[in-house]
Amino acid sequence: MTQFRKRTSVIGLGVILLLSACSTEELPNEEGQASDPQLEENAAPGEEAAYKISADAETPIEHVHGLGFDGDTGELLFATHDGLRFFNDGAWYTTTSNRNDYMGFQATSEGFYASGHPGEGAQEGLVNPLGLVKSTDQGETIEPLSLFGQVDFHYMAASYEGKSVYGLITAEVEDESGNVMTPGIYRTSDEGNTWNSLALKGFSANSFGMMATHATDGEKLAIATQQGAYFSSDGGDTVSRITKDSEKITAIDFKGEQIIYAAVDGQDIVLRVINTDGSDVKELNNPYLDFENAITYITVNPENEEEIAFTTLDIDGYLSSDGGQSFQPILDEGQMQGA
């Protein structure tokens, strides 16, 4: 995040982006039988390895680019530099192929939307950058939707239910119909067939950062900036700041009808829940974090709002099952921990 490591990038809108910039025992299959634990044992020369999700508590995570709860399984998904990582009931898992560098990752009730770059074992036909893609089978198959070969969405938000997707574009591109898209935040409600630029009336911060969308109402959008958190109830046409401008917001999500956010407030790393009108601010009992180890991503399980997870700049990870009253460590500088 820029405010801690001075990783800044200026785009045409004149705003500064907040850039946040494996043991192999198999999961049981549907019949309850363990699959072959060798990651690529059955792959012939020149062929892609069969996609499997294998237990892996050893390989460290070097970068986290997003996280969310899988709508089908309830597993906590980590979008990383080398594909998906899964955390479930104290155990960690990874995949054997399609280890793409996922950016702008957003879990949904049916799977996930993402962007980024093709990686190890990428399926045939994926291009760099990925543009907007989706998967409904835990990353086994990746479906290109829009702007493939043109855009790597570092910042993206998607509703858990429905098809509202927001993305930040930092360079001029053309959509599939040849329409020019200049730098800014765009929204699609039809999985990238059409994109509309957000007016963002009332936005006065000098930075954009993480975004989040309400689980069921795609009109509701939250934006993190170095001058506080902003909220929109009309799809980004108008926005209003709902936190103090002294709070540097580093991560944000919806928690039901409220907003949960992480911030640097003075010398403290804080985790708070607030109403969308800025009222009723509540502190959560997040663990002590060093000033330079800011929270980078936060997610709430829409199926169970008591489950909250977040990661930090130093690749620490924490999970709460009691609504933020307590957090258990599940990552320590990228090294996997149980819960």
Side-chain angles (χ1 to χ4, degrees):
M1 304 290 291
T2 22
Q3 61 266 41
F4 309 111
R5 297 296 173 87
K6 298 183 180 179
R7 303 173 189 167
T8 60
S9 173
V10 179
I11 66 174
L13 293 178
V15 296
I16 302 173
L17 305 183
L18 300 169
L19 291 179
S20 51
C22 283
S23 109
T24 58
E25 179 185 352
E26 282 290 308
L27 277 173
N29 58 27
E30 293 182 356
E31 288 74 34
Q33 301 297 316
S35 303
D36 187 345
Q38 299 303 313
L39 297 187
E40 300 188 29
E41 182 177 73
N42 298 322
E47 291 183 356
E48 296 179 7
Y51 189 88
K52 299 176 183 177
I53 300 175
S54 302
D56 181 357
E58 302 298 327
T59 307
I61 295 176
E62 296 182 358
H63 300 280
V64 175
H65 296 152
L67 69 163
F69 289 92
D70 186 289
D72 288 330
T73 67
E75 295 170 317
L76 180 58
L77 308 183
F78 289 73
T80 80
H81 227 25
D82 58 351
L84 293 179
R85 303 294 181 94
F86 303 77
F87 182 80
N88 185 37
D89 197 23
W92 286 90
Y93 304 88
T94 191
T95 68
T96 59
S97 58
N98 255 341
R99 290 179 173 174
N100 303 309
D101 180 8
Y102 291 115
M103 307 291 290
F105 179 86
Q106 294 290 326
T108 70
S109 62
E110 297 181 348
F112 64 83
Y113 292 105
S115 190
H117 313 277
E120 179 184 352
Q123 72 185 46
E124 184 177 354
L126 292 184
V127 295
N128 185 32
L130 293 174
L132 176 64
V133 300
K134 78 171 184 179
S135 176
T136 57
D137 54 11
Q138 294 189 300
E140 180 174 357
T141 55
I142 304 299
E143 179 184 352
L145 297 176
S146 181
L147 301 175
F148 24 93
Q150 295 196 77
V151 172
D152 169 16
F153 288 110
H154 279 242
Y155 298 110
M156 194 170 74
S159 52
Y160 183 76
E161 302 281 357
K163 299 185 183 302
S164 288
V165 179
Y166 297 82
L168 176 63
I169 292 177
T170 61
E172 186 174 291
V173 299
E174 289 186 4
D175 66 15
E176 281 66 26
S177 299
N179 299 312
V180 175
M181 301 173 67
T182 56
I185 300 179
Y186 287 77
R187 179 189 181 188
T188 179
S189 299
D190 55 13
E191 296 194 319
N193 288 315
T194 57
W195 293 90
N196 296 302
S197 178
L198 273 58
L200 296 177
K201 300 170 188 173
F203 188 86
S204 60
N206 66 4
S207 64
F208 285 129
M210 303 299 172
M211 297 184 290
T213 312
H214 187 276
T216 60
D217 186 350
E219 294 290 308
K220 295 179 179 178
L221 175 69
I223 304 173
T225 83
Q226 285 191 323
Q227 288 82 39
Y230 283 76
F231 170 72
S232 174
S233 61
D234 57 11
D237 185 38
T238 60
V239 298
S240 58
R241 187 166 55 205
I242 60 172
T243 67
K244 297 180 295 183
D245 60 8
S246 60
E247 291 180 283
K248 297 177 174 62
I249 312 300
T250 62
I252 199 164
D253 198 10
F254 279 84
K255 187 177 187 293
E257 297 303 316
Q258 295 182 302
I259 290 173
I260 183 171
Y261 68 92
V264 178
D265 192 358
Q267 296 294 313
D268 297 321
I269 305 295
V270 298
L271 195 57
R272 292 169 175 157
V273 176
I274 190 171
N275 289 338
T276 57
D277 63 0
S279 65
D280 194 24
V281 182
K282 295 179 180 178
E283 300 276 346
L284 298 185
N285 295 321
N286 58 294
Y288 171 78
L289 296 171
D290 184 84
F291 176 74
E292 293 188 351
N293 189 24
I295 295 172
T296 51
Y297 296 94
I298 187 167
T299 186
V300 178
N301 187 352
E303 304 287 354
N304 177 9
E305 293 174 15
E306 295 295 291
E307 290 189 302
I308 304 169
F310 69 82
T311 56
T312 74
L313 199 63
D314 289 342
I315 320 300
D316 297 328
Y318 293 88
L319 176 64
S320 174
S321 58
D322 55 16
Q325 297 181 53
S326 62
F327 285 87
Q328 301 300 317
I330 57 175
L331 278 176
D332 181 8
E333 295 186 347
Q335 300 293 330
M336 297 167 184
Q337 314 286 310

